[in-house]
Amino acid sequence: MSPGDLPAPVFYMNTFHAQDNEQVFFHCSIDRHTPATRIVFCKDGVEAYSMRAQQGQLSYFMVLNVTRGSSGTYTCGYQHRNESNWVRSSALSASRNLTVTARHPGLLHTFPAGITLGVAAVSIVLLAAASYCAVKKDE
């Protein structure tokens, strides 16, 4: 979408840093005096997602399931198509940068479940044996 002469909307994101497979919420808010027929979300200056605008609606939301490829600079804008099919575009909103990193699993998630359960079982047996020895020693 090329920037136009209509007033720019306001763009919000719920976070600027996310991990792989998380959800990021985008919010594009337009002025109540400016009719819109289409809302556009851009990534790195190129249209990435769009939705049909509803008459009287001023806020538009999008949920993005992010991957590492989702990192970039995001903006939003809108278009108005009149009865003569003439399209006017808004200026783009202020940009927001999103950084997506790989998910870092916790320690228990780095080993297969069988190994984790096996280590836990052996630990319980050793703890029981140590407890038994400590009790027998005190008798």
Side-chain angles (χ1 to χ4, degrees), residues 35-70:
T37 53
R38 185 168 173 254
I39 306 300
V40 178
F41 292 93
C42 299
K43 177 183 179 241
D44 298 327
V46 177
E47 181 178 325
Y49 312 96
S50 69
M51 62 182 67
R52 175 181 229 113
Q54 302 297 318
Q55 185 174 8
Q57 185 173 338
L58 303 177
S59 291
Y60 295 86
F61 301 91
M62 185 180 77
V63 178
L64 182 64
N65 293 316
V66 298
T67 64
R68 295 206 37 213
S70 302

Short mmCIF file of all heavy atoms in Angstrom, two decimals, residues 35-70:
data_model
loop_
_atom_site.label_atom_id
_atom_site.label_comp_id
_atom_site.label_asym_id
_atom_site.label_seq_id
_atom_site.Cartn_x
_atom_site.Cartn_y
_atom_site.Cartn_z
N PRO A 35 -13.80 7.77 6.95
CA PRO A 35 -14.36 6.47 6.59
C PRO A 35 -13.29 5.56 5.98
O PRO A 35 -12.38 6.02 5.29
CB PRO A 35 -15.44 6.81 5.56
CG PRO A 35 -14.98 8.10 4.96
CD PRO A 35 -14.23 8.83 6.04
N ALA A 36 -13.37 4.28 6.27
CA ALA A 36 -12.43 3.31 5.71
C ALA A 36 -13.21 2.14 5.13
O ALA A 36 -14.27 1.77 5.65
CB ALA A 36 -11.48 2.82 6.79
N THR A 37 -12.72 1.59 4.05
CA THR A 37 -13.33 0.39 3.48
C THR A 37 -12.39 -0.81 3.58
O THR A 37 -12.83 -1.95 3.43
CB THR A 37 -13.72 0.62 2.00
OG1 THR A 37 -12.58 1.09 1.29
CG2 THR A 37 -14.85 1.62 1.88
N ARG A 38 -11.11 -0.56 3.85
CA ARG A 38 -10.13 -1.64 3.93
C ARG A 38 -9.03 -1.24 4.91
O ARG A 38 -8.53 -0.12 4.87
CB ARG A 38 -9.54 -1.88 2.54
CG ARG A 38 -8.61 -3.03 2.42
CD ARG A 38 -8.35 -3.29 0.92
NE ARG A 38 -7.34 -4.28 0.76
CZ ARG A 38 -6.08 -4.04 0.38
NH1 ARG A 38 -5.72 -2.81 0.09
NH2 ARG A 38 -5.22 -5.02 0.27
N ILE A 39 -8.65 -2.18 5.79
CA ILE A 39 -7.57 -1.98 6.75
C ILE A 39 -6.39 -2.82 6.29
O ILE A 39 -6.57 -3.99 5.92
CB ILE A 39 -7.99 -2.41 8.17
CG1 ILE A 39 -9.28 -1.70 8.59
CG2 ILE A 39 -6.88 -2.18 9.17
CD1 ILE A 39 -9.21 -0.19 8.61
N VAL A 40 -5.20 -2.26 6.34
CA VAL A 40 -4.02 -2.94 5.83
C VAL A 40 -2.92 -2.94 6.90
O VAL A 40 -2.63 -1.89 7.49
CB VAL A 40 -3.49 -2.24 4.56
CG1 VAL A 40 -2.23 -2.90 4.05
CG2 VAL A 40 -4.56 -2.22 3.49
N PHE A 41 -2.35 -4.11 7.15
CA PHE A 41 -1.18 -4.24 8.02
C PHE A 41 0.02 -4.53 7.13
O PHE A 41 -0.04 -5.42 6.27
CB PHE A 41 -1.37 -5.38 9.03
CG PHE A 41 -2.45 -5.10 10.04
CD1 PHE A 41 -3.75 -5.51 9.83
CD2 PHE A 41 -2.15 -4.42 11.21
CE1 PHE A 41 -4.75 -5.25 10.76
CE2 PHE A 41 -3.15 -4.15 12.15
CZ PHE A 41 -4.44 -4.57 11.93
N CYS A 42 1.09 -3.76 7.31
CA CYS A 42 2.28 -3.90 6.48
C CYS A 42 3.46 -4.40 7.31
O CYS A 42 3.58 -4.05 8.49
CB CYS A 42 2.67 -2.56 5.85
SG CYS A 42 1.39 -1.88 4.76
N LYS A 43 4.29 -5.19 6.68
CA LYS A 43 5.55 -5.64 7.29
C LYS A 43 6.67 -5.18 6.39
O LYS A 43 6.67 -5.45 5.19
CB LYS A 43 5.58 -7.16 7.42
CG LYS A 43 6.90 -7.68 7.98
CD LYS A 43 6.93 -9.20 8.02
CE LYS A 43 8.26 -9.62 8.57
NZ LYS A 43 9.02 -10.42 7.65
N ASP A 44 7.62 -4.46 6.97
CA ASP A 44 8.77 -3.95 6.23
C ASP A 44 8.35 -3.16 4.99
O ASP A 44 8.94 -3.25 3.93
CB ASP A 44 9.73 -5.08 5.84
CG ASP A 44 10.30 -5.79 7.06
OD1 ASP A 44 10.51 -5.12 8.10
OD2 ASP A 44 10.54 -7.01 6.99
N GLY A 45 7.26 -2.38 5.15
CA GLY A 45 6.79 -1.50 4.08
C GLY A 45 5.96 -2.16 2.99
O GLY A 45 5.55 -1.50 2.04
N VAL A 46 5.70 -3.46 3.13
CA VAL A 46 4.94 -4.19 2.11
C VAL A 46 3.66 -4.73 2.75
O VAL A 46 3.69 -5.26 3.87
CB VAL A 46 5.79 -5.36 1.55
CG1 VAL A 46 4.99 -6.17 0.54
CG2 VAL A 46 7.07 -4.84 0.94
N GLU A 47 2.55 -4.63 2.03
CA GLU A 47 1.29 -5.14 2.55
C GLU A 47 1.43 -6.63 2.87
O GLU A 47 1.85 -7.42 2.03
CB GLU A 47 0.17 -4.94 1.52
CG GLU A 47 -1.17 -5.42 2.01
CD GLU A 47 -2.29 -5.18 1.01
OE1 GLU A 47 -2.26 -4.16 0.30
OE2 GLU A 47 -3.18 -6.04 0.95
N ALA A 48 1.07 -6.99 4.10
CA ALA A 48 1.18 -8.39 4.52
C ALA A 48 -0.20 -9.00 4.81
O ALA A 48 -0.42 -10.17 4.54
CB ALA A 48 2.07 -8.50 5.75
N TYR A 49 -1.10 -8.20 5.38
CA TYR A 49 -2.43 -8.68 5.75
C TYR A 49 -3.42 -7.55 5.55
O TYR A 49 -3.09 -6.39 5.73
CB TYR A 49 -2.47 -9.09 7.24
CG TYR A 49 -1.32 -9.97 7.64
CD1 TYR A 49 -0.18 -9.43 8.23
CD2 TYR A 49 -1.35 -11.34 7.41
CE1 TYR A 49 0.90 -10.23 8.59
CE2 TYR A 49 -0.28 -12.15 7.75
CZ TYR A 49 0.84 -11.59 8.34
OH TYR A 49 1.89 -12.38 8.68
N SER A 50 -4.65 -7.90 5.20
CA SER A 50 -5.68 -6.88 5.08
C SER A 50 -7.03 -7.45 5.49
O SER A 50 -7.21 -8.67 5.54
CB SER A 50 -5.75 -6.33 3.65
OG SER A 50 -6.25 -7.31 2.76
N MET A 51 -7.95 -6.56 5.79
CA MET A 51 -9.30 -6.97 6.15
C MET A 51 -10.28 -5.89 5.71
O MET A 51 -9.91 -4.73 5.56
CB MET A 51 -9.41 -7.22 7.66
CG MET A 51 -9.12 -6.02 8.52
SD MET A 51 -9.19 -6.36 10.31
CE MET A 51 -7.79 -7.41 10.51
N ARG A 52 -11.49 -6.31 5.51
CA ARG A 52 -12.55 -5.38 5.12
C ARG A 52 -12.94 -4.55 6.34
O ARG A 52 -13.14 -5.08 7.43
CB ARG A 52 -13.74 -6.16 4.59
CG ARG A 52 -14.92 -5.32 4.27
CD ARG A 52 -16.10 -6.15 3.77
NE ARG A 52 -16.57 -5.51 2.58
CZ ARG A 52 -16.50 -6.01 1.37
NH1 ARG A 52 -16.03 -7.20 1.18
NH2 ARG A 52 -16.95 -5.33 0.33
N ALA A 53 -13.06 -3.25 6.16
CA ALA A 53 -13.48 -2.35 7.24
C ALA A 53 -15.00 -2.39 7.35
O ALA A 53 -15.71 -2.60 6.36
CB ALA A 53 -12.99 -0.94 6.96
N GLN A 54 -15.49 -2.17 8.56
CA GLN A 54 -16.93 -2.13 8.81
C GLN A 54 -17.34 -0.69 9.11
O GLN A 54 -16.65 0.00 9.87
CB GLN A 54 -17.27 -3.02 10.01
CG GLN A 54 -16.84 -4.47 9.84
CD GLN A 54 -17.55 -5.15 8.69
OE1 GLN A 54 -18.76 -4.98 8.50
NE2 GLN A 54 -16.81 -5.90 7.90
N GLN A 55 -18.46 -0.26 8.54
CA GLN A 55 -18.91 1.11 8.74
C GLN A 55 -19.12 1.39 10.23
O GLN A 55 -19.74 0.61 10.93
CB GLN A 55 -20.22 1.34 7.98
CG GLN A 55 -20.68 2.77 8.04
CD GLN A 55 -21.90 3.00 7.15
OE1 GLN A 55 -22.48 2.08 6.61
NE2 GLN A 55 -22.27 4.26 7.01
N GLY A 56 -18.53 2.48 10.70
CA GLY A 56 -18.65 2.88 12.09
C GLY A 56 -17.64 2.26 13.03
O GLY A 56 -17.51 2.67 14.17
N GLN A 57 -16.92 1.24 12.59
CA GLN A 57 -15.91 0.60 13.43
C GLN A 57 -14.62 1.39 13.37
O GLN A 57 -14.16 1.76 12.29
CB GLN A 57 -15.68 -0.85 12.98
CG GLN A 57 -14.75 -1.61 13.88
CD GLN A 57 -14.66 -3.09 13.49
OE1 GLN A 57 -15.55 -3.62 12.84
NE2 GLN A 57 -13.59 -3.72 13.89
N LEU A 58 -14.01 1.64 14.54
CA LEU A 58 -12.80 2.46 14.60
C LEU A 58 -11.56 1.66 14.97
O LEU A 58 -10.44 2.12 14.75
CB LEU A 58 -12.99 3.59 15.61
CG LEU A 58 -14.19 4.50 15.36
CD1 LEU A 58 -14.31 5.53 16.47
CD2 LEU A 58 -14.07 5.17 14.00
N SER A 59 -11.73 0.47 15.55
CA SER A 59 -10.59 -0.35 15.97
C SER A 59 -10.62 -1.69 15.26
O SER A 59 -11.67 -2.33 15.18
CB SER A 59 -10.63 -0.58 17.48
OG SER A 59 -10.37 0.62 18.17
N TYR A 60 -9.46 -2.10 14.80
CA TYR A 60 -9.31 -3.37 14.09
C TYR A 60 -8.16 -4.15 14.71
O TYR A 60 -7.10 -3.59 15.01
CB TYR A 60 -9.06 -3.12 12.60
CG TYR A 60 -10.26 -2.46 11.95
CD1 TYR A 60 -10.41 -1.08 11.97
CD2 TYR A 60 -11.26 -3.23 11.40
CE1 TYR A 60 -11.53 -0.48 11.42
CE2 TYR A 60 -12.39 -2.64 10.85
CZ TYR A 60 -12.52 -1.27 10.86
OH TYR A 60 -13.63 -0.68 10.32
N PHE A 61 -8.40 -5.44 14.91
CA PHE A 61 -7.43 -6.28 15.59
C PHE A 61 -7.03 -7.45 14.71
O PHE A 61 -7.84 -7.96 13.93
CB PHE A 61 -8.04 -6.82 16.90
CG PHE A 61 -8.45 -5.73 17.84
CD1 PHE A 61 -9.73 -5.21 17.81
CD2 PHE A 61 -7.54 -5.21 18.75
CE1 PHE A 61 -10.11 -4.19 18.66
CE2 PHE A 61 -7.91 -4.19 19.61
CZ PHE A 61 -9.19 -3.68 19.57
N MET A 62 -5.80 -7.87 14.90
CA MET A 62 -5.30 -9.04 14.19
C MET A 62 -4.39 -9.81 15.14
O MET A 62 -3.61 -9.21 15.88
CB MET A 62 -4.52 -8.64 12.94
CG MET A 62 -4.08 -9.84 12.12
SD MET A 62 -3.16 -9.39 10.66
CE MET A 62 -1.59 -9.00 11.37
N VAL A 63 -4.50 -11.13 15.13
CA VAL A 63 -3.64 -11.99 15.93
C VAL A 63 -2.69 -12.70 14.96
O VAL A 63 -3.13 -13.31 13.99
CB VAL A 63 -4.46 -13.03 16.72
CG1 VAL A 63 -3.53 -13.95 17.50
CG2 VAL A 63 -5.45 -12.35 17.62
N LEU A 64 -1.41 -12.59 15.24
CA LEU A 64 -0.39 -13.20 14.39
C LEU A 64 0.35 -14.27 15.18
O LEU A 64 0.90 -13.99 16.24
CB LEU A 64 0.59 -12.14 13.89
CG LEU A 64 1.69 -12.60 12.96
CD1 LEU A 64 1.13 -13.12 11.65
CD2 LEU A 64 2.66 -11.45 12.68
N ASN A 65 0.31 -15.51 14.70
CA ASN A 65 1.13 -16.58 15.27
C ASN A 65 2.51 -16.43 14.66
O ASN A 65 2.69 -16.70 13.48
CB ASN A 65 0.54 -17.95 14.96
CG ASN A 65 -0.79 -18.16 15.65
OD1 ASN A 65 -0.93 -17.84 16.82
ND2 ASN A 65 -1.76 -18.67 14.93
N VAL A 66 3.47 -16.00 15.45
CA VAL A 66 4.76 -15.60 14.90
C VAL A 66 5.75 -16.75 14.77
O VAL A 66 5.68 -17.74 15.50
CB VAL A 66 5.41 -14.46 15.74
CG1 VAL A 66 4.54 -13.23 15.72
CG2 VAL A 66 5.70 -14.90 17.17
N THR A 67 6.63 -16.59 13.80
CA THR A 67 7.78 -17.46 13.61
C THR A 67 8.99 -16.53 13.55
O THR A 67 8.85 -15.30 13.56
CB THR A 67 7.69 -18.25 12.29
OG1 THR A 67 7.72 -17.31 11.19
CG2 THR A 67 6.42 -19.08 12.23
N ARG A 68 10.17 -17.10 13.46
CA ARG A 68 11.36 -16.25 13.40
C ARG A 68 11.30 -15.35 12.17
O ARG A 68 11.83 -14.25 12.18
CB ARG A 68 12.61 -17.11 13.42
CG ARG A 68 12.67 -17.82 14.76
CD ARG A 68 13.95 -18.24 15.31
NE ARG A 68 15.07 -17.40 15.12
CZ ARG A 68 16.30 -17.87 14.98
NH1 ARG A 68 16.53 -19.15 14.98
NH2 ARG A 68 17.31 -17.04 14.84
N GLY A 69 10.65 -15.79 11.11
CA GLY A 69 10.49 -14.97 9.91
C GLY A 69 9.55 -13.79 10.09
O GLY A 69 9.46 -12.93 9.20
N SER A 70 8.85 -13.74 11.22
CA SER A 70 7.92 -12.63 11.48
C SER A 70 8.63 -11.39 11.99
O SER A 70 8.00 -10.32 12.11
CB SER A 70 6.86 -13.06 12.51
OG SER A 70 6.15 -14.18 12.06
#
